[in-house]
Amino acid sequence: MYSSSSSSTAPQKFDVFLSFRGKDTRRTFISFLYKELIGMSIRTFKDDVELKSGRRIASDLLMAIENSKIAVVIVSKNYPASPWCLQELVMIMDVEKKGSLTVMPIFYNVEPAHVRRQIEKVAEQFRKHEKREDYETVVSWRQALTNLASISGHCSRDCEDDSKLLDEITKRISDMLLFSATPPSDSINNQFGFDAHMKELYPLLELTSNEGVRVIGIWARGGNGRSALARYVYQKIFKKFQSHCFLENVKGIPHDCQMSNLRDEFLIRIQGGYSKMKTSGLIKTRLMTQKVLLVANNVDKLEQLDALSEDFNCFGPGSLVIITTQDKQLLLAFGIKVVYEVECLRCFEVRQLFRQIGFRERDLYVGSELSSPISGTESS
């Protein structure tokens, strides 16, 4: 975040919330899953602080659940034995009922039927709960566990090994996040000229190039058409790059924030972190060997480009930087020679498009999306 005050008023948003029994899986399966998700630039919440006996689940845990898109619940052999895991599960299922969270159960070395019917070892675990907890609490835990086990998920017994299970889980998560942001039909894209724009843009993108870092501009007077096209282009091509980042609304940076904060935030997001780090040199070193995609949307100051250029000039060969703006002179002043001009999308068409495909900040999946206060809907 840019400052302590901004971070306190703008809760973190996550793609995935991991719920698990730490003693069972933290050092094994969870560590590998978390590494894979972060490596894919999927914003993932993992609580690394063991909840101690008698301690109430922190309010920021509930906030993290409410601000996540997917909750991955890893049910291991001792997950049902933990009051803290079960209470967290109750919160997860309550948020899921509101329709703002997708829940994905993973049955790790346990039988899904035992969890759903609460028999065998699960029954033993609940008998212990009944001796220590009040009746209503245990009932809520049982119901949450039953509801979870009724959701289609993954079972470790169905995979040859954990690596296969990880591949299945990460692919499903990636597909779910991408699907939530991708326009649902080619007919809509054709109706509003997106495919026609892509035919014009593809030669400019030079996606097969492995020489240097290319910087191109997308210019239009109105903000909506330009931004919609930028999002669409990003969704179409980001898989061709090893690292990728969509900065939603660069001009929304508060005036009291220095441009160095923009650079810091970009470096944090591109490597999948969620707190300011002092390893920018290491991140830059990694990016120098990678093909990187950066889309900086709604830029309105030369200083913003200067700040970002300190990083994208260090990207690996074949990297692509796309700058969108309504100020054509800004692109020329920065020396960007390749500029695509958006003229075919009329405002009323774009508004209708937004309504049909649901381009909203909370639904837009980008590999490493810059979050509030930068991200959001810009004014034209």
Side-chain angles (χ1 to χ4, degrees):
M1 290 298 100
Y2 289 105
S3 66
S4 59
S5 60
S6 64
S7 61
S8 63
T9 57
Q12 284 281 12
K13 292 184 180 295
F14 299 96
D15 296 312
V16 174
F17 179 95
L18 295 179
S19 177
F20 58 96
R21 171 69 163 166
K23 292 181 179 179
D24 287 353
T25 57
R26 183 185 301 279
R27 295 180 179 273
T28 53
F29 183 75
I30 290 298
S31 65
F32 294 114
L33 175 59
Y34 181 74
K35 182 179 180 181
E36 286 292 318
L37 293 173
I38 292 300
M40 298 169 67
S41 294
I42 294 175
R43 298 164 299 176
T44 306
F45 180 93
K46 177 169 73 75
D47 178 19
D48 282 317
V49 180
E50 289 286 351
L51 293 175
K52 299 180 181 179
S53 179
R55 173 180 166 183
R56 296 182 63 187
I57 295 178
S59 60
D60 57 353
L61 194 65
L62 176 58
M63 185 177 296
I65 295 171
E66 292 176 336
N67 285 281
S68 297
K69 298 177 183 178
I70 301 172
V72 178
V73 182
I74 297 86
V75 183
S76 54
K77 61 182 181 179
N78 291 314
Y79 186 96
S82 168
W84 321 115
C85 289
L86 293 173
Q87 191 59 40
E88 182 177 281
L89 180 61
V90 169
M91 290 192 290
I92 289 172
M93 300 310 294
D94 284 345
V95 176
E96 189 266 347
K97 287 180 184 178
K98 300 175 184 177
S100 59
L101 180 71
T102 299
V103 176
M104 180 190 302
I106 311 297
F107 301 98
Y108 190 74
N109 294 332
V110 296
E111 289 293 328
H114 293 179
V115 177
R116 182 172 57 256
R117 296 164 60 191
Q118 294 168 22
I119 59 176
E120 302 292 337
K121 187 173 183 177
V122 181
E124 297 176 12
Q125 293 165 338
F126 268 94
R127 279 195 290 269
K128 293 180 180 179
H129 290 320
E130 289 170 345
K131 293 178 181 178
R132 296 176 298 200
E133 305 290 341
D134 64 79
Y135 175 77
E136 292 183 356
T137 298
V138 175
V139 168
S140 68
W141 291 351
R142 286 186 178 279
Q143 188 62 56
L145 202 59
T146 300
N147 292 342
L148 175 73
S150 300
I151 300 173
S152 175
H154 297 266
C155 185
S156 60
R157 71 179 181 187
D158 298 331
C159 294
E160 298 176 9
D161 50 43
D162 281 1
S163 65
K164 297 289 186 183
L165 179 61
L166 283 171
D167 288 343
E168 289 185 6
I169 295 170
T170 53
K171 183 180 185 302
R172 184 179 174 189
I173 291 173
S174 178
D175 289 345
M176 290 168 66
L177 292 170
L178 182 61
F179 179 78
S180 70
T182 302
S185 70
D186 290 337
S187 61
I188 293 178
N189 301 334
N190 291 328
Q191 178 182 356
F192 295 101
F194 274 61
D195 289 339
H197 283 291
M198 288 303 297
K199 289 180 181 179
E200 297 285 341
L201 268 169
Y202 262 120
L204 305 180
L205 301 178
E206 298 182 25
L207 296 178
T208 60
S209 173
N210 288 313
E211 297 182 2
V213 179
R214 286 158 295 112
V215 183
I216 73 170
I218 295 180
W219 170 83
R221 292 185 179 88
N224 287 339
R226 180 184 67 251
S227 297
L229 180 59
R231 296 185 184 104
Y232 183 68
V233 172
Y234 180 90
Q235 294 161 9
K236 283 289 188 181
I237 69 175
F238 79 89
K239 288 186 178 181
K240 299 181 182 293
F241 297 84
Q242 293 166 288
S243 292
H244 44 89
C245 182
F246 189 105
L247 307 188
E248 173 65 35
N249 186 24
V250 175
K251 85 171 186 179
I253 303 173
H255 294 298
D256 59 347
C257 291
Q258 300 296 320
M259 290 303 104
S260 60
N261 295 116
L262 170 59
R263 295 182 54 245
D264 289 341
E265 191 73 12
F266 162 69
L267 290 172
I268 291 169
R269 296 297 167 184
I270 196 71
Q271 61 89 39
Y274 302 101
S275 61
K276 188 158 294 186
M277 300 176 64
K278 298 180 180 180
T279 56
S280 60
L282 295 177
I283 300 170
K284 287 183 180 180
T285 300
R286 178 172 65 87
L287 295 179
M288 289 175 65
T289 64
Q290 292 189 351
K291 192 172 182 178
V292 183
L293 170 65
L294 167 62
V295 178
N297 185 45
N298 209 23
V299 174
D300 70 341
K301 291 183 177 65
L302 192 60
E303 292 85 351
Q304 296 160 353
L305 292 179
D306 289 335
L308 288 172
S309 68
E310 293 186 36
D311 294 313
F312 66 62
N313 283 334
C314 298
F315 291 171
S319 295
L320 175 63
V321 177
I322 300 176
I323 307 296
T324 81
T325 183
Q326 63 181 5
D327 185 353
K328 189 175 183 180
Q329 293 302 313
L330 182 67
L331 300 175
L332 299 176
F334 192 71
I336 299 175
K337 298 179 181 179
V338 181
V339 178
Y340 183 72
E341 299 184 4
V342 184
E343 295 179 346
C344 298
L345 291 175
R346 295 187 296 274
C347 290
F348 77 93
E349 291 177 329
V350 173
R351 284 196 294 269
Q352 185 177 348
L353 174 66
F354 276 20
R355 286 195 295 270
Q356 291 191 50
I357 65 177
F359 272 139
R360 295 186 301 272
E361 177 196 354
R362 67 181 180 88
D363 294 326
L364 178 63
Y365 167 64
V366 291
S368 294
E369 179 184 333
L370 188 59
S371 66
S372 180
I374 293 182
S375 60
T377 305
E378 74 279 10
S379 56
S380 301

